[in-house]
Amino acid sequence: MKPNSDAAIMKSLSHCMEKMTKDGYTANFGVVDQHLQHMDSGHSYTSDQIQIVDFYRFEGESDPEDSSILYVIETSDGRKGMLVDAYGAYSNPEVDEFIKQVEEIKKKKGSEK
């Protein structure tokens, strides 16, 4: 595998986020009161108004607290961005519950960590 290939770059959260930003996924999302919220505008989305087009899980090599998951999201009104959460025991229960409600979750072939 070439060191500059997408697979090599996608091994870290920061590089993956940089790649997604270059691909147009620039919105910063969070989960507030059981809704996905665009953090800059405050606009909220219900689980049926979004699609998770891809996701990436990262495991902390030395500390489980470093484990995280990146969700790549598109909204019904065309906004594209990312949501980051801890993974496993340290995950945010509110994010977990919201993601469980999302019906459209895809994982692109070949984009496994």
Side-chain angles (χ1 to χ4, degrees):
M1 175 181 336
K2 295 178 187 175
N4 292 330
S5 71
D6 279 351
I9 290 171
M10 302 308 248
K11 294 281 185 191
S12 77
L13 177 61
S14 61
H15 286 113
C16 190
M17 290 179 73
E18 185 178 313
K19 166 96 170 69
M20 292 300 108
T21 299
K22 287 179 182 175
D23 289 347
Y25 292 89
T26 57
N28 181 23
F29 292 115
V31 176
V32 178
D33 295 328
Q34 300 173 2
H35 289 80
L36 184 77
Q37 186 173 60
H38 179 244
M39 302 312 286
D40 293 334
S41 71
H43 186 83
S44 292
Y45 301 90
T46 60
S47 61
D48 62 339
Q49 293 176 308
I50 72 158
Q51 177 184 90
I52 297 174
V53 296
D54 212 346
F55 59 93
Y56 302 89
R57 188 173 69 201
F58 303 92
E59 296 180 14
E61 292 182 25
S62 61
D63 187 347
E65 289 185 30
D66 292 337
S67 297
S68 58
I69 188 162
L70 171 68
Y71 297 100
V72 182
I73 296 172
E74 294 182 9
T75 64
S76 57
D77 62 359
R79 194 166 270 150
K80 295 167 58 172
M82 296 173 273
L83 170 67
V84 178
D85 190 24
Y87 186 77
Y90 300 98
S91 66
N92 179 332
E94 191 172 14
V95 173
D96 285 347
E97 189 57 38
F98 181 80
I99 296 299
K100 287 178 188 174
Q101 295 174 24
V102 176
E103 292 184 20
E104 192 70 38
I105 300 177
K106 297 180 180 177
K107 178 69 181 161
K108 293 180 182 176
K109 287 188 174 191
S111 49
E112 289 289 330
K113 180 183 137 319

